[in-house]
């Protein structure tokens, strides 16, 4: 089958389109004919030798990518959730070796969900890692509930634009930051307020927030804490940009946490109906 293998960590010229054997389908896996993939910041970081590079460096070949949408063509002996011909989507083996930049991907069935009919393969692939991140943080970890005041940074970005919609579905009052050009987009997703981070300091106009999703990190994290109510919660997600956030938050009377998304087909199943709204 055709796949893009990563010759060395580095630039895009190191991604080589080549012929590799079809993946072996383990008992708990299904073979998916890939119709679409999506590329996230972690793909780029990993290609450059950061992100997941440490986990992948001893594989040969390395095939990047985690987000897929496609059609089941084969099922492992103990894989019973899907049948041949089912359209599925999901984030495969993250953290780990997803091998998504390929014509076929063998994926644990528990990492996948049925693709909603109303969503294209392209849309479904794009609603995997980014959507899972937002869902796992807002629903699972933070337990956002109706009436919570939630600040989403980079609300027009991959994670942020899902987070705005999901926080609204969970009943929160949502404020989103983005540049001015994306204002209407962020409001159309369901944010009640928009702040253009290029012209306004969000801490000048916000206070008493229950929760902040910080997709930026660095000094943005400390600034974000200043808009939290006592006992409020902040999650910071860019790897390497959220140093000691738990201690820093605790010292100021808040809950602070980093987070890493993980493959989970049950969560993918929950995201499907949200994507359908
Ligand atoms: N830990 C995890 O499990 C996990 C999972 C997913 C992603 N991440 C990380 O989270 C980060 C975001 O990922 P993503 O996929 O959402 O990225 P993305 O789609 O590339 O988002 C970029 C967005 O950031 C916005 N932005 C830049 N500076 C900003 C600022 N100071 N304030 C507000 N918005 C700003 C830009 O908005 P405008 O275009 O409007 O200017 C742009 O839309 C990345 O570092 C990624 O690696 C971590």
């Amino acid at each position: 089958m055709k796949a893009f293998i990563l010759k060395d960590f580095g630039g895009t010229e190191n991604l080589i389109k080549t012929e590799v054997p079809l993946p072996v389908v383990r008992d708990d896996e299904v073979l998916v004919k890939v119709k679409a993939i999506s590329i996230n910041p972690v793909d780029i970081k990993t290609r450059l030798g950061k992100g997941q590079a440490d986990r992948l460096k001893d594989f040969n070949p390395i095939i990047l990518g985690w987000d897929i949408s496609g059609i089941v063509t084969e099922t492992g002996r103990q894989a019973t959730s899907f049948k041949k011909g089912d359209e599925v989507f999901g984030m495969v083996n993250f953290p780990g070796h997803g091998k998504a930049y390929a014509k076929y991907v063998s994926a644990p069935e528990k990492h996948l969900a049925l693709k909603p009919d109303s969503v294209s393969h392209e849309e479904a692939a794009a609603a995997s890692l980014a959507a899972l991140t937002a869902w796992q943080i807002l629903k699972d970890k933070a337990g956002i509930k109706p009436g919570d005041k939630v600040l989403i940074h980079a609300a027009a970005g991959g994670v942020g634009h899902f987070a705005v919609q999901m926080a609204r579905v969970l009943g929160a009052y949502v404020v989103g930051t983005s540049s001015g050009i994306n204002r209407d987009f962020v409001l159309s997703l369901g944010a009640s307020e928009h702040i253009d981070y290029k012209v306004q300091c969000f801490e000048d106009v916000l206070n008493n927030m229950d929760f902040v999703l910080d997709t930026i990190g660095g000094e943005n994290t400390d600034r974000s804490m200043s808009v939290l109510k006592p006992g409020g919660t902040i999650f910071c997600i860019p790897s390497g940009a959220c140093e000691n956030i738990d201690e820093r938050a605790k010292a100021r009377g808040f809950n602070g946490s980093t987070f890493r998304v993980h493959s989970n087909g049950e969560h993918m199943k929950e995201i499907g109906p949200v994507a359908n709204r």
Side-chain angles (χ1 to χ4, degrees), residues 41 45 129 133 154 156-159 177-179 182 197 215-216 237-238 259-261:
K45 293 176 189 177
L129 186 149
T133 303
V159 175
T177 65
S178 78
S179 50
N182 289 318
Y197 69 89
T215 50
I216 308 297
I237 63 168
F259 173 81
R260 186 165 62 197
V261 66

Side-chain angles (χ1 to χ4, degrees), residues 21-69:
L22 265 183
V24 174
V25 183
R26 297 206 172 87
D27 287 355
D28 63 342
E29 292 183 336
V30 296
L31 189 65
V32 180
K33 182 172 187 187
V34 176
K35 303 296 278 184
I37 64 166
S38 84
I39 296 175
N40 296 279
V42 70
D43 294 53
I44 295 158
K45 293 176 189 177
T46 304
R47 173 172 51 72
L48 291 169
K50 294 181 271 179
Q52 291 288 297
D54 259 0
R55 284 175 186 271
L56 303 192
K57 64 181 184 329
D58 297 327
F59 286 93
N60 185 17
I62 295 171
I63 302 178
L64 288 180
W66 291 273
D67 282 354
I68 62 165
S69 184

Side-chain angles (χ1 to χ4, degrees), residues 61-263:
I62 295 171
I63 302 178
L64 288 180
W66 291 273
D67 282 354
I68 62 165
S69 184
I71 299 167
V72 173
T73 59
E74 198 181 320
T75 55
R77 276 185 302 183
Q78 286 161 19
T80 54
S81 306
F82 306 107
K83 59 182 187 320
K84 280 184 198 176
D86 280 350
E87 298 190 307
V88 293
F89 75 127
M91 178 186 75
V92 179
N93 285 325
F94 192 94
H97 199 179
K99 306 183 193 175
Y101 298 2
K103 198 88 184 158
Y104 289 85
V105 170
S106 191
E109 62 169 354
K110 65 179 188 210
H111 293 177
L112 302 172
L114 285 174
K115 179 182 80 61
D117 288 341
S118 60
V119 171
S120 69
H121 282 293
E122 289 79 5
E123 289 167 329
S128 296
L129 186 149
L132 264 183
T133 303
W135 192 240
Q136 288 176 350
I137 291 174
L138 295 172
K139 171 112 186 317
D140 242 38
K141 297 286 177 187
I144 297 301
K145 55 186 189 315
D148 280 352
K149 286 176 68 183
V150 168
L151 171 61
I152 308 289
H153 285 300
V159 175
H161 88 289
F162 285 113
V164 169
Q165 298 171 79
M166 290 168 175
R168 270 304 296 267
V169 166
L170 295 170
Y173 178 90
V174 182
V175 183
T177 65
S178 78
S179 50
I181 197 167
N182 289 318
R183 179 176 192 277
D184 290 346
F185 173 59
V186 171
L187 293 174
S188 77
L189 299 172
S192 297
E193 288 181 53
H194 171 266
I195 296 171
D196 179 348
Y197 69 89
K198 290 187 172 163
V199 299
Q200 185 157 44
C201 288
F202 59 86
E203 62 269 40
D204 290 346
V205 288
L206 294 178
N207 58 51
N208 231 23
M209 304 301 291
D210 293 282
F211 178 83
V212 179
L213 176 55
D214 183 10
T215 50
I216 308 297
E219 53 113 21
N220 197 66
T221 308
D222 289 310
R223 291 172 53 209
S224 297
M225 285 189 211
S226 70
V227 307
L228 282 173
K229 72 176 191 188
T233 299
I234 180 166
F235 270 70
C236 179
I237 63 168
S239 54
C242 316
E243 216 170 304
N244 301 328
I245 186 180
D246 44 352
E247 290 165 25
R248 278 155 55 208
K250 196 172 169 193
R252 295 174 63 174
F254 308 122
N255 305 299
S257 190
T258 54
F259 173 81
R260 186 165 62 197
V261 66
H262 53 277
S263 296

